[in-house]
């Protein structure tokens, strides 16, 4: 069974940093691209970032470009999201999500349960 | 403002059929595959339809998807109260180089 388990969320002050992690299991991690998708309270889904199977290419939403960095460690079956210069509008539930292919233009086919990030003073 | 446009809500009676639309442009729906996701309150989204009209294993054939030009549609037949959820369409946008989602549609089964 494919499983994605996020961690690292919490309460952080504006301007500070946070690093999210996602532990993957149940599939060949280095065969698939991965995504981070967030959902603000009471709002819809917003794609944050994607990374190809071999970390060759990363993509970001305009809202986080220059502040967030996605990375992966295929040896550890893990995905990460380094979030710097956090803003109140970054408050959301952050989902780790698996792509259906090696590149992040492939659709999301499996979602984790999410980790909550709250940015507030 | 979402790149893909969905109606905020739809409703129908049990046993009936409902259609949820998703409108985009040539840079997204028009030239890329569309997926649909189902999300119950407090839970993660779940893949319902991929590649416009394919169902993952375990998804009932009451759920079907289609695409025409720059619009996509999710049909749900034989509605059940357990289908009450939020539904999102999603695809790749070649101009933005980003995954894009619709704003979501809340389905109410009256």
């Amino acid at each position: 069974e494919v499983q994605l388990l996020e961690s690292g969320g919490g309460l952080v002050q504006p301007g500070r940093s946070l690093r999210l992690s996602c532990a993957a299991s149940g599939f060949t991690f280095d065969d698939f691209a991965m995504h981070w998708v967030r959902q603000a309270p009471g709002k819809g889904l917003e794609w944050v970032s994607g990374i190809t199977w071999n970390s060759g290419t990363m993509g970001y939403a305009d809202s986080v470009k220059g502040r967030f960095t996605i990375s992966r460690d295929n040896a550890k079956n893990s995905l990460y999201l380094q979030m710097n210069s956090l803003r109140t509008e970054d408050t959301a539930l952050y989902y780790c999500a698996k792509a259906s292919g090696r590149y992040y233009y492939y659709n999301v086919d499996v979602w984790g349960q999410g980790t909550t990030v709250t940015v507030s003073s | 403002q979402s790149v893909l446009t969905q109606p905020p809500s739809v409703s129908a009676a049990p046993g009936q059929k409902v259609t949820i639309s998703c409108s985009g442009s040539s840079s997204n729906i028009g030239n890329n595959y569309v997926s649909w996701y189902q999300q119950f309150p407090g839970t993660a989204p779940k893949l319902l339809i991929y590649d416009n009209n394919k169902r993952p294993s375990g998804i009932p054939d009451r759920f079907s998807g289609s695409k025409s030009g720059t619009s996509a549609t999710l049909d749900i037949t034989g509605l059940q109260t357990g289908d009450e959820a939020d539904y999102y369409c999603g695809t790749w946008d070649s101009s933005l180089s980003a995954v894009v989602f619709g704003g979501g549609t809340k389905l109410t089964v009256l």
Side-chain angles (χ1 to χ4, degrees), chain A residues 51-72:
Chain A
I51 185 168
T52 56
W53 63 284
N54 61 353
S55 303
T57 306
M58 289 77 80
Y60 300 92
D62 286 344
S63 57
V64 306
K65 203 170 290 183
R67 300 187 298 122
F68 290 11
T69 302
I70 191 172
S71 63
R72 64 190 295 163

Side-chain angles (χ1 to χ4, degrees), chain B residues 44-103:
Chain B
K46 173 185 174 182
L47 180 64
L48 208 56
I49 297 289
Y50 68 99
D51 291 355
N52 302 331
N53 55 18
K54 297 182 174 62
R55 285 186 307 276
S57 61
I59 301 299
D61 59 7
R62 299 187 299 106
F63 296 89
S64 63
S66 63
K67 188 181 94 168
S68 178
T70 58
S71 292
T73 298
L74 173 69
D75 288 325
I76 310 173
T77 59
L79 274 173
Q80 302 173 1
T81 56
D83 295 331
E84 285 201 335
D86 293 324
Y87 293 84
Y88 294 89
C89 57
T91 187
W92 176 254
D93 191 298
S94 306
S95 294
L96 298 175
S97 292
V99 173
V100 292
F101 293 101

Side-chain angles (χ1 to χ4, degrees), chain A residues 51-104:
Chain A
I51 185 168
T52 56
W53 63 284
N54 61 353
S55 303
T57 306
M58 289 77 80
Y60 300 92
D62 286 344
S63 57
V64 306
K65 203 170 290 183
R67 300 187 298 122
F68 290 11
T69 302
I70 191 172
S71 63
R72 64 190 295 163
D73 185 336
N74 287 347
K76 294 183 178 180
N77 287 353
S78 294
L79 177 72
Y80 306 100
L81 186 68
Q82 177 66 42
M83 304 185 295
N84 298 332
S85 303
L86 281 161
R87 306 168 179 168
T88 55
E89 55 263 37
D90 295 319
T91 294
L93 181 62
Y94 283 73
Y95 292 106
C96 167
K98 171 186 167 292
S100 60
R102 288 191 162 194
Y103 299 92
Y104 55 84

Side-chain angles (χ1 to χ4, degrees), chain A residues 6-44:
Chain A
E6 302 93 337
S7 61
L11 173 63
V12 61
Q13 293 179 325
R16 303 299 290 264
S17 300
L18 207 58
R19 188 194 195 209
L20 305 183
S21 300
C22 171
S25 61
F27 66 102
T28 305
F29 184 70
D30 57 10
D31 267 349
F32 296 94
M34 297 293 293
H35 300 272
W36 287 101
V37 179
R38 69 185 181 184
Q39 187 169 31
K43 302 297 184 182

